[in-house]
Each structure stands twice: as C-alpha cells, then as structure tokens.
Amino acid sequence: MFLKFQYIVFESWSAWSGLFEPLPYGDPYIATIVLFSLIAAAAKFFVGGETG
C-alpha cells in the first residue's frame, strides 16, 4: 500500500514539475515555489481570508 502511494506521489510530482521544464532552472525550483503558493492561497481562500 505504501509503495503504491509512493508511486502515485512520484508520478504526480513528475507531471507537475514537467510543466515547468522549459523554463531555465524551472524544473524543481519554480515548481516547488508555485506548489507552495497554490497551497497557501487555497488554504487562505478556504479559511475565508482574501487571496490578494
């Protein structure tokens, strides 16, 4: 079960970081920054605060 979850996470990260691959230094770094920004904005939105 854990290996299946690990494989899903690995494949999801590969797909996500692949979106930023054409950018210079974009593969892991920009993908991580954008992911955390989206998580923070979504959390703030669901709590009821403004996203901007």
Side-chain angles (χ1 to χ4, degrees), residues 3-46:
L3 291 177
K4 187 181 257 187
F5 176 73
Q6 185 179 10
Y7 181 73
I8 290 171
V9 169
F10 177 74
E11 288 296 317
S12 299
W13 178 253
S14 295
W16 175 255
S17 63
L19 294 173
F20 300 94
E21 198 168 356
L23 300 173
Y25 302 107
D27 191 10
Y29 303 115
I30 295 175
T32 303
I33 292 168
V34 171
L35 181 64
F36 282 120
S37 299
L38 286 175
I39 290 171
K44 198 170 187 182
F45 177 73
F46 288 125

